[in-house]
């Protein structure tokens, strides 16, 4: 399956394509209004600060048809890094051809090559097709964990040690 696709890591000149894929994914998830990323922010954080990596999946002609944006996290229990997959997206015209699975297989290979202990990601509860896809590959939902987040004004108040909630 993985051999049906080509892969390459993104370069700074790919920033507009990364943002396009992010917007397409957000639109698919009904969250386009939440995208505030810009090309300059992506270039800064991905390529200058090197806080994330982007892997493109390409068809046989070399056209980018999907992407994965990921970064390393750390498990204290395992005592080693893992890969956290922030976004996985395949363009609608290329879905159902095994590209999503090939991207996950490639990321698993990268995780093993780098000595990582796990590959993990979140999925919206409402994204039933993706949940079925992930489960079909043996991915297990972490139903005993709840994600918590500080963001925006709440994050700013926490950083300022403000005792009042926004």
């Amino acid at each position: 399956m993985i051999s049906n696709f080509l892969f390459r890591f993104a370069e700074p000149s790919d920033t507009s394509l990364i943002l396009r894929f992010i917007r397409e994914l957000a639109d698919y998830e009904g969250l386009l209004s939440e995208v505030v990323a810009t090309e300059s922010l992506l270039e800064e954080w991905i390529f200058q600060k090197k806080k994330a990596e982007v892997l493109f999946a390409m068809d046989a002609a070399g056209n980018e048809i999907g992407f994965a944006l990921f970064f390393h996290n750390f498990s204290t229990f395992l005592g080693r890094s893992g890969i956290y997959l922030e976004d996985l997206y395949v363009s609608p015209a290329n879905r159902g051809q095994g590209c999503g699975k090939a991207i996950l297989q490639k990321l698993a290979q990268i995780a093993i090559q780098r000595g990582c202990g796990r590959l993990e990601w979140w999925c919206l509860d409402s994204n039933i097709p993706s949940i079925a896809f992930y489960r079909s590959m043996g991915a297990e939902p972490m139903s005993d964990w709840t994600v918590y987040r500080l963001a925006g004004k709440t994050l700013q108040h926490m950083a300022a040690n403000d005792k009042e909630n926004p």
Side-chain angles (χ1 to χ4, degrees):
M1 181 62 61
I2 197 167
S3 62
N4 295 339
F5 301 94
L6 306 169
F7 297 94
R8 72 173 181 86
F9 283 96
E11 300 175 0
S13 60
D14 295 313
T15 305
S16 63
L17 178 58
I18 295 167
L19 184 57
R20 188 186 96 209
F21 278 152
I22 290 170
R23 287 184 175 148
E24 288 178 16
L25 172 61
D27 190 40
Y28 170 76
E29 294 177 335
L31 300 169
L32 185 57
S33 64
E34 294 186 28
V35 176
V36 297
T38 63
E39 287 185 29
S40 61
L41 280 172
L42 293 174
E43 187 170 339
E44 175 186 356
W45 286 90
I46 296 171
F47 300 108
Q48 295 170 15
K49 294 182 178 181
K50 300 188 185 300
K51 297 297 182 182
E53 298 176 68
V54 173
L55 181 71
F56 288 116
M58 300 176 298
D59 61 17
N63 300 307
E64 292 83 0
I65 59 173
F67 89 117
L69 187 146
F70 65 97
F71 53 87
H72 287 271
N73 56 12
F74 192 84
S75 168
T76 55
F77 287 13
L78 295 178
R80 65 174 65 188
S81 288
I83 288 181
Y84 180 79
L85 174 60
E86 177 67 23
D87 284 334
L88 170 64
Y89 177 75
V90 176
S91 61
N94 296 286
R95 292 183 188 148
Q97 301 171 17
C99 185
K101 184 174 183 179
I103 291 171
L104 285 170
Q105 287 175 322
K106 184 66 175 177
L107 288 173
Q109 290 174 354
I110 292 169
I112 296 299
Q113 290 168 354
R114 295 181 181 182
C116 295
R118 47 172 80 134
L119 169 61
E120 56 192 354
W121 60 93
W122 297 349
C123 182
L124 290 171
D125 291 339
S126 61
N127 193 342
I128 304 303
S130 293
I131 291 169
F133 167 64
Y134 298 142
R135 303 264 332 232
S136 74
M137 292 185 306
E140 299 176 18
M142 302 298 293
S143 59
D144 52 342
W145 293 85
T146 300
V147 176
Y148 291 90
R149 176 180 290 166
L150 292 173
K153 289 184 179 186
T154 306
L155 177 62
Q156 292 172 4
H157 283 284
M158 178 61 77
N161 199 22
D162 193 342
K163 296 183 191 232
E164 295 182 31
N165 290 327

